[in-house]
Amino acid sequence: MGQDSAIPQAGIEALSSEVAGHVLLPDSTGYDAARAVWNGRFDYRPAVVIRCSRAADVVRAVNFARQHRLPLSVKGGGHDYAGNTVGEDSLLVDLSPMKAVVVDAQNRRATAEGGATWADVDAATQAEGLATPGGTVSTVGIAGFTLGGGAGWLTRKFGLAADNLLAAEVVTATGEVVRASSHDNPELFWALRGGSGNFGIVTRFEYRLHPVGPEILAGQVLYPVERAGELLRWYRDFMKTAPDELGVYAFFLRIPPLPDFPETLHGKVVLDFVVAYAGPPEEAEPHLAPFRQQGTPLVDSVGPVPYTGLQQAFDDAMGKGNRWYSRYLQLNEVSDEFIDTLVNHLEPFPGPFTTVYMGGQGGAPSRIAPEATAYPHRHVADALHIFPGWADPAEDEAIMGWARELYGRLAPFAEGGCYVNMLAEDELERLPAAYRGNYAKLAQLKKRWDPDNLFRNNRNIRPAD
């Protein structure tokens, strides 16, 4: 810690007596577990960790950080490409103990604390046959996901997670607890729906729920990578008229040595259409069948699955502690030239956990105006995520260099915007592109709600001058 952020022992003792959760120092039992994050490329050591069990603990943490001039970092689920979840020498607000989810089935509402993951929310809501759009990996925290926008299997039908946010309980930079909704602090509510963690710490989210499950029709359809060019052209054209209920991701991935896949495919890169239908299962087959009829698939696992099973299907592949990197681009048009460039430059496809995937956009989010929420990317046709994953630090530069090179070849086809949740630590200068015409308003609201930029260990929107 620097001279300005040294914490007197008396201050730590007072803090420990005032919070219901736990205050951890670097020599405390549980400190290393509390600071551990999903992305193994980042290994930061906060000065102090407050494991919060209630909103009042968060208030005390914010006030303490401000009073002692400590950098502040916030951990919910701990998933982050840019390493912003935990800050070096910071006061870490660990929300992960705050996981309670309460479902009001009659009014189709769910309230979830800020440390909940999508597994927590899905378990509670599916008990009532309900769901809200969440992440495609259940270990992802609801907070960062929702505050950045949040897209998943239900998005084309029901919108982004941010579109289904009805209200939020927020601890502000002054330590005040406020409610944000369309009626309470509406400009703050506008900023929270896409503006990431720049405006406060959300301790409670209230979501709109929809009838989903308990089973839906979903699965994977694998084809040889050699056919990727023709199949991506078909996918592009098919999605132009696909119903909102249909969610599709077109993955390039290397088949792991698991019994779920034929041994002859182990280690090979394939094209994997992962499909899900967010409507009645009996209506799904005509919309999913075409993915199974483009020749003979290598694997076809489409069938009825629990919605919670679909949500957890990729958890193991996104294991905590591996090393992850990100490059993301959005497309107004998926041109033949883009497809050819993509499939011709996938090699060497390094990293055992690496994926490159496209995800069809459109549907419900596209019918919301770009200025209606802080999240502006309402009219893109598709998106591509270059997402390498590996374990050996010695491979960092080679693998990240491959991702940057592939991105560089594809960037000329992109529409220029970016999704804030996907930004890596070495491209944060692109932040204004994440907000398009909404950036100036966000900077003004940052000045209103956090003029000293206390909440800056994030994809930071600086207060307007």
Side-chain angles (χ1 to χ4, degrees):
M1 292 179 292
Q3 182 177 353
D4 290 338
S5 59
I7 311 173
Q9 181 62 33
I12 293 294
E13 292 173 357
L15 181 65
S16 298
S17 68
E18 292 168 356
V19 301
H22 295 91
V23 177
L24 306 176
L25 297 176
D27 60 353
S28 300
T29 300
Y31 170 84
D32 284 331
R35 71 182 182 89
V37 295
W38 163 74
N39 193 340
R41 287 200 299 119
F42 303 103
D43 184 24
Y44 297 134
R45 298 183 64 83
V48 58
V49 178
I50 302 181
R51 300 201 75 218
C52 301
S53 63
R54 58 183 184 178
D57 291 353
V58 179
V59 170
R60 187 66 186 95
V62 167
N63 289 337
F64 191 88
R66 189 180 63 252
Q67 292 161 5
H68 291 275
R69 301 178 63 182
L70 279 167
L72 189 70
S73 56
V74 184
K75 176 184 174 183
H79 275 249
D80 186 34
Y81 296 106
N84 292 324
T85 301
V86 177
E88 188 73 18
D89 281 342
S90 69
L91 185 153
L92 173 60
V93 178
D94 181 7
L95 298 177
S96 61
M98 298 174 60
K99 293 177 173 290
V101 181
V102 177
V103 177
D104 177 355
Q106 181 176 355
N107 293 304
R108 293 183 180 174
R109 301 287 187 268
T111 301
E113 290 185 315
T117 66
W118 285 110
D120 299 320
V121 173
D122 292 339
T125 58
Q126 277 293 279
E128 303 291 346
L130 300 168
T132 198
T136 56
V137 176
S138 76
T139 55
V140 168
I142 66 170
F145 182 88
T146 301
L147 296 175
W153 294 114
L154 304 181
T155 291
R156 281 173 45 84
K157 176 62 176 176
F158 299 120
L160 302 168
D163 299 334
N164 287 273
L165 183 65
L166 297 172
E169 178 186 84
V170 187
V171 177
T172 70
T174 60
E176 183 183 5
V177 180
V178 303
R179 178 178 171 85
S181 70
S182 58
H183 302 292
D184 307 286
N185 299 299
E187 287 200 327
L188 175 60
F189 185 56
W190 178 90
L192 293 175
R193 289 174 292 160
S196 196
N198 280 283
F199 302 93
I201 300 176
V202 179
T203 51
R204 186 172 287 111
F205 295 80
E206 183 179 338
Y207 294 101
R208 179 185 299 109
L209 301 178
H210 309 273
V212 175
E215 284 193 334
I216 67 172
L217 206 65
Q220 302 182 60
V221 186
L222 276 60
Y223 289 99
V225 71
E226 292 78 12
R227 296 192 57 210
E230 63 172 292
L231 289 172
L232 287 181
R233 287 172 168 80
W234 171 82
Y235 152 83
R236 169 197 63 195
D237 296 337
F238 182 84
M239 291 303 294
K240 290 177 181 178
T241 57
D244 291 355
E245 289 82 359
L246 182 63
V248 181
Y249 292 94
F251 278 86
F252 292 98
L253 54 84
R254 195 177 298 278
I255 296 297
L258 297 174
D260 295 341
F261 302 100
E263 190 172 344
T264 55
L265 295 181
H266 291 178
K268 292 186 176 181
V269 177
V270 299
L271 176 62
D272 181 6
F273 290 113
V274 188
V275 297
Y277 190 78
E282 62 273 15
E283 298 176 6
E285 184 59 25
H287 306 291
L288 300 186
F291 289 89
R292 313 165 75 181
Q293 297 169 345
Q294 304 305 307
T296 303
L298 298 170
V299 173
D300 175 1
S301 67
V302 175
V305 297
Y307 175 72
T308 53
L310 174 66
Q311 288 288 87
Q312 297 168 19
F314 294 100
D315 287 6
D316 290 343
M318 295 273 285
K320 184 176 182 178
N322 289 322
R323 307 177 77 78
W324 305 98
Y325 188 61
S326 177
R327 278 292 186 270
Y328 189 88
L329 53 84
Q330 299 174 152
L331 303 160
N332 285 331
E333 176 190 10
V334 182
S335 67
D336 288 348
E337 293 79 11
F338 170 84
I339 292 172
D340 290 341
T341 303
L342 171 61
V343 300
N344 290 333
H345 294 92
L346 287 172
E347 292 297 331
F349 209 84
F353 317 115
T354 294
T355 62
V356 175
Y357 65 90
M358 299 177 66
Q361 309 291 295
S366 69
R367 293 188 282 273
I368 296 175
E371 67 276 9
T373 66
Y375 179 91
H377 308 294
R378 299 295 183 171
H379 301 126
V380 296
D382 213 307
L384 180 106
H385 192 194
I386 302 166
F387 182 26
W390 67 104
D392 186 355
E395 296 183 292
D396 283 6
E397 288 308 311
I399 292 178
M400 291 191 293
W402 166 81
R404 294 184 193 114
E405 181 179 354
L406 179 58
Y407 173 82
R409 292 182 181 276
L410 297 171
F413 301 100
E415 51 84 62
C418 57
Y419 176 28
V420 66
N421 282 359
M422 300 298 189
L423 287 174
E425 78 281 1
D426 57 355
E427 56 174 352
L428 296 182
E429 75 282 353
R430 298 187 65 212
L431 190 67
Y435 294 112
R436 300 290 200 176
N438 292 336
Y439 188 78
K441 181 178 178 180
L442 285 164
Q444 289 293 336
L445 289 170
K446 178 73 169 180
K447 182 178 180 180
R448 158 71 176 85
W449 289 95
D450 185 16
D452 296 325
N453 205 11
L454 179 67
F455 303 116
R456 62 182 180 274
N457 200 73
N458 50 31
R459 294 165 176 86
N460 191 234
I461 298 169
R462 296 186 62 82
D465 295 331

